[in-house]
Amino acid sequence: MELNRSFLLQLQILTKRMVLRVVRRPLAELPNIFISAFFLFVYDGALGDVFGGSVSGTPFDFANGNFVNFILPVSILSASLSGAASGIYLVEDIESGVFKRYQSMPISKWAIILAPMNVGAVKVLLQASLILLIGNIIGADPAVGAIGYLVVLSLAFIGGMGIAGYSVAAGVKSGSSQGAQAATFLFFPALFLAPTFVPREALKGWLQTAAAFNPTTYLIESMRSVLVEGWVIDVLVKGYLVGGIFAAITLFLAVTSARKATEKA
Amino acid sequence: MLAVDVKNIKKTFISKQDKVEAVKDVSFQVKQGEIFGLLGPNGAGKSTTILMLTTLLSITDGSASVLGIDVSTKDKEVREKIGVALQDTGIDNLLTGRELFFTTCRLWGYSKKNSEKKTIELLELVGLMEAADRRVKTYSGGMKRRLDLGLSLVHSPEVLFLDEPTTGLDPGSRRVLWDEIKRLRDNGVTIILTTQYLEEADELADRIAIIDEGLVVAEGTSDQLKAGIGGDVITFSFENTDYLENAKNILKNTVQEKNELRITVEDGASKIPGYLKDLSSNGVEVSSVSASKPTLDDVFLQVTGYRLEGSEDIKKEEEKSKR
């Protein structure tokens, strides 16, 4: 009997298994979607009139008359936090012994490690798309046109992958799904040590300094540029560059820590 | 060719605070088509030995091969030949039994069509056809163990490693699993199983190695091990410790367990009157005395100096289930 054990087939089978796990726990997905949508509605509700259309032509007019465009990146990045699930999925498999079962089979270790990251990536795209759709419904209108949504989605994906890599590294290091969850909670404050509600120039000194060292800042600013201003290439390049470096570092950490976990003790 | 050849393997775990020798020196050989039992208490080194032989843990020293393939250097080749069901069963509770079999078949490289066919075969083999489309989290402990066993058989392995396959199961489920293990052996599969149940080793294993504190302290068939301690076991019971301590000095080579002393001698029944006379003349009162053929329990006590906990529990459970 001919056997097919190609890497891609193994990755596809393991990813499908992970998807089944996600689908069987739909309630686990709700909090992050809810929080992201909640941020969008609440911030727009609370600040939309302050920084929105009514301030056109005033010093507060940094949203170019549409505060939804301005605040949408915050909710999108909040949705990207769903990438953190990758680490939790992997650690759940380690805790349950499923990981060890796969290790005892002639399966590529990379397929075992990449499958939860694949699912994390898909989750990021789906949740970010959903938030974009909600944003569109409540008035988002990208300055560069509909293509702006694709730019925002790609930046969300990069950010999500950075978070996924970090969560896998933290999860494997801590050895427990609670550990992975706790470690990824760090990203939540990072969302606010950034030009979340106002442009960076309007932040107080210490917060401006913190924001300058926070990769979230560059992702938010690049998303905002296409939504609020138009094609501001240097801001966009910075977003992709910083997000890319952040994702590359955390994915490298994920790979090295996961490789250690698959090595024989 | 031997199914498994283990030569003086050792496993030392070194951490910043500690250095633990989990396996100090273990050697044994398993012939093809036999059930080999590794018997010992928790922490004896049984599971560590299995993890090393299944390529999941490195060997600190010594060597081991499965079907002539070196375990340390040829992980992948060994994994092709073996089936593994570990103590902490790695089963995805959110999937159904059918999905798990199908996924595992696909991962072993079978086509979709063959995976579907094999899934049905295996579900029938382990008696889970009726529960095939239920999520595994609804399965009983026995069903999970059968599922685990079935998953380790997907690629028709030549050598099967089972780490405490029946721990925690009720007597009925244990019997079902025992029958399945024997049937696999009858079909030519070599099985290496660990157990802390004497009855399980006695019932299933063609040969047994007793492991204690990381060392093999006895090895052979159940009959050989029993014969090895020689003759009959005479058990003396005492009402108080003074009598017991005095008796220890009078009767040589005894093994104490609680308020009992055991002595192994040839033709035990004929020697009891002489022992009782010696004890009585020294003022030692014996509350009861009996002679019996040695059991695996006696062998374990003889070679380790203590009784294996848990073996009594399984006896009681068996008796309860018969009532």
Side-chain angles (χ1 to χ4, degrees):
Chain A
M1 198 182 295
E2 203 176 308
L3 299 174
N4 180 359
R5 294 200 196 136
S6 72
F7 166 76
L8 284 177
L9 182 65
Q10 290 179 347
L11 182 59
Q12 181 202 327
I13 294 163
L14 290 172
T15 303
K16 194 177 163 191
R17 174 196 153 247
M18 278 284 174
V19 170
L20 273 176
R21 284 181 62 79
V22 176
V23 170
R24 303 261 156 98
R25 291 188 294 191
L27 289 179
E29 306 307 316
L30 288 181
N32 200 55
I33 299 175
F34 176 78
I35 289 285
S36 306
F38 178 78
F39 278 171
L40 189 58
F41 285 116
V42 164
Y43 295 153
D44 183 50
L47 304 170
D49 277 352
V50 180
F51 300 125
S54 58
V55 294
S56 287
T58 73
F60 298 114
D61 186 19
F62 45 76
N64 273 355
N66 185 338
F67 191 69
V68 177
N69 277 343
F70 186 84
I71 203 68
L72 190 57
V74 177
S75 291
I76 292 289
L77 278 177
S78 165
S80 299
L81 288 177
S82 60
S86 302
I88 295 162
Y89 295 152
L90 188 67
V91 177
E92 277 176 350
D93 274 355
I94 293 173
E95 284 176 327
S96 69
V98 170
F99 190 79
K100 199 163 257 177
R101 176 186 294 283
Y102 290 147
Q103 273 187 290
S104 74
M105 293 164 64
I107 302 176
S108 160
K109 64 182 172 189
W110 298 114
I112 304 173
I113 295 163
L114 285 175
M117 295 178 73
N118 266 353
V119 178
V122 171
K123 273 182 67 171
V124 167
L125 286 176
L126 285 177
Q127 294 206 13
S129 300
L130 186 67
I131 297 300
L132 279 178
L133 182 69
I134 295 171
N136 188 261
I137 291 168
I138 66 169
D141 178 21
V144 297
I147 196 171
Y149 286 137
L150 284 179
V151 173
V152 170
L153 210 54
S154 65
L155 286 160
F157 179 76
I158 292 170
M161 284 295 86
I163 292 162
Y166 173 79
S167 77
V168 167
V172 173
K173 188 89 182 157
S174 72
S176 75
S177 43
Q178 288 97 329
Q181 226 152 4
T184 49
F185 192 70
L186 276 180
F187 285 104
F188 208 65
L191 209 53
F192 297 93
L193 291 172
T196 315
F197 304 114
V198 292
R200 213 180 335 166
E201 313 80 74
L203 297 175
K204 271 193 171 180
W206 70 270
L207 194 52
Q208 225 177 84
T209 311
F213 289 98
N214 182 357
T216 313
T217 298
Y218 301 94
L219 287 167
I220 288 177
E221 286 178 346
S222 53
M223 286 182 193
R224 260 178 203 157
S225 70
V226 290
L227 289 168
V228 177
E229 295 169 66
W231 296 109
V232 187
I233 300 302
D234 62 324
V235 175
L236 209 52
V237 167
K238 256 189 215 167
Y240 279 110
L241 205 62
V242 173
I245 290 169
F246 168 64
I249 291 171
T250 65
L251 290 174
F252 173 76
L253 288 175
V255 166
T256 46
S257 61
R259 194 163 56 188
K260 270 187 194 160
T262 55
E263 273 171 6
K264 284 200 240 178
Chain B
M1 191 201 301
L2 286 167
V4 178
D5 190 6
V6 182
K7 289 178 184 157
N8 307 104
I9 58 169
K10 296 184 177 79
K11 181 66 198 178
T12 309
F13 293 103
I14 300 169
S15 66
K16 279 173 193 164
Q17 303 84 15
D18 222 351
K19 183 179 169 186
V20 179
E21 278 187 291
V23 173
K24 289 171 185 162
D25 189 357
V26 166
S27 299
F28 58 83
Q29 295 183 328
V30 183
K31 289 179 220 147
Q32 290 191 44
E34 72 174 352
I35 299 179
F36 188 82
L38 289 170
L39 174 68
N42 279 332
K46 308 185 298 292
S47 297
T48 308
T49 301
I50 291 286
L51 287 172
M52 286 192 279
L53 297 180
T54 53
T55 77
L56 293 169
L57 208 56
S58 64
I59 298 173
T60 307
D61 201 7
S63 66
S65 63
V66 173
L67 296 165
I69 307 165
D70 187 73
V71 166
S72 298
T73 56
K74 293 181 175 165
D75 301 36
K76 276 191 181 168
E77 287 92 326
V78 170
R79 287 174 195 180
E80 296 279 348
K81 303 279 183 189
I82 62 171
V84 185
L86 294 171
Q87 203 173 340
D88 303 319
T89 51
I91 297 180
D92 192 334
N93 281 319
L94 290 173
L95 268 60
T96 66
R98 191 189 300 276
E99 285 165 347
L100 272 176
F101 274 118
F102 183 78
T103 303
T104 309
C105 288
R106 295 284 286 141
L107 285 169
W108 274 105
Y110 295 104
S111 66
K112 276 187 184 172
K113 200 177 159 194
N114 285 330
S115 294
E116 276 165 13
K117 207 172 129 198
K118 198 132 185 102
T119 293
I120 291 168
E121 275 172 27
L122 288 163
L123 280 165
E124 277 170 357
L125 181 79
V126 293
L128 290 172
M129 201 60 203
E130 280 183 19
D133 297 310
R134 266 166 49 196
R135 289 190 198 173
V136 175
K137 67 178 176 186
T138 66
Y139 286 17
S140 67
M143 289 164 85
K144 281 184 185 173
R145 287 301 168 93
R146 278 186 279 143
L147 173 64
D148 198 18
L149 180 66
L151 290 171
S152 67
L153 297 173
V154 163
H155 57 301
S156 309
E158 291 171 62
V159 182
L160 187 60
F161 290 89
L162 304 175
D163 192 12
E164 305 212 1
T166 67
T167 299
L169 295 189
D170 61 82
S173 305
R174 188 177 294 129
R175 280 272 158 209
V176 171
L177 213 56
W178 284 358
D179 290 343
E180 185 54 38
I181 291 168
K182 282 185 206 163
R183 201 191 57 74
L184 287 168
R185 187 260 322 268
D186 295 343
N187 286 338
V189 180
T190 307
I191 296 162
I192 292 96
L193 65 89
T194 71
T195 182
Q196 46 180 315
Y197 297 139
L198 295 158
E199 291 76 7
E200 186 160 276
D202 219 357
E203 169 88 20
L204 286 180
D206 298 310
R207 287 191 308 118
I208 299 163
I210 297 178
I211 296 195
D212 188 37
E213 294 181 0
L215 295 166
V216 174
V217 290
E219 191 197 325
T221 64
S222 178
D223 288 341
Q224 282 169 345
L225 291 170
K226 288 168 190 170
I229 65 170
D232 301 321
V233 177
I234 303 175
T235 307
F236 300 91
S237 299
F238 303 92
E239 274 189 355
N240 67 49
T241 45
D242 289 342
Y243 289 150
L244 187 133
E245 290 303 321
N246 286 341
K248 257 200 244 178
N249 295 327
I250 298 159
L251 307 169
K252 302 296 174 201
N253 300 322
T254 56
V255 177
Q256 185 191 337
E257 198 202 359
K258 294 177 185 166
N259 65 335
E260 289 181 350
L261 286 181
R262 287 164 181 251
I263 185 165
T264 308
V265 291
E266 291 295 336
D267 195 13
S270 70
K271 289 184 177 149
I272 288 178
Y275 286 131
L276 289 177
K277 198 176 162 193
D278 285 350
L279 292 168
S280 171
S281 62
N282 284 286
V284 176
E285 281 183 27
V286 178
S287 54
S288 73
V289 63
S290 64
S292 60
K293 289 286 170 202
T295 62
L296 210 48
D297 199 7
D298 297 313
V299 175
F300 193 88
L301 188 62
Q302 180 90 7
V303 296
T304 64
Y306 63 94
R307 198 181 286 280
L308 192 57
E309 281 178 25
S311 55
E312 283 298 313
D313 300 339
I314 195 173
K315 265 187 208 158
K316 281 179 199 162
E317 282 172 21
E318 291 268 336
E319 280 162 15
K320 216 165 94 185
S321 72
K322 278 179 197 160
R323 269 184 241 141

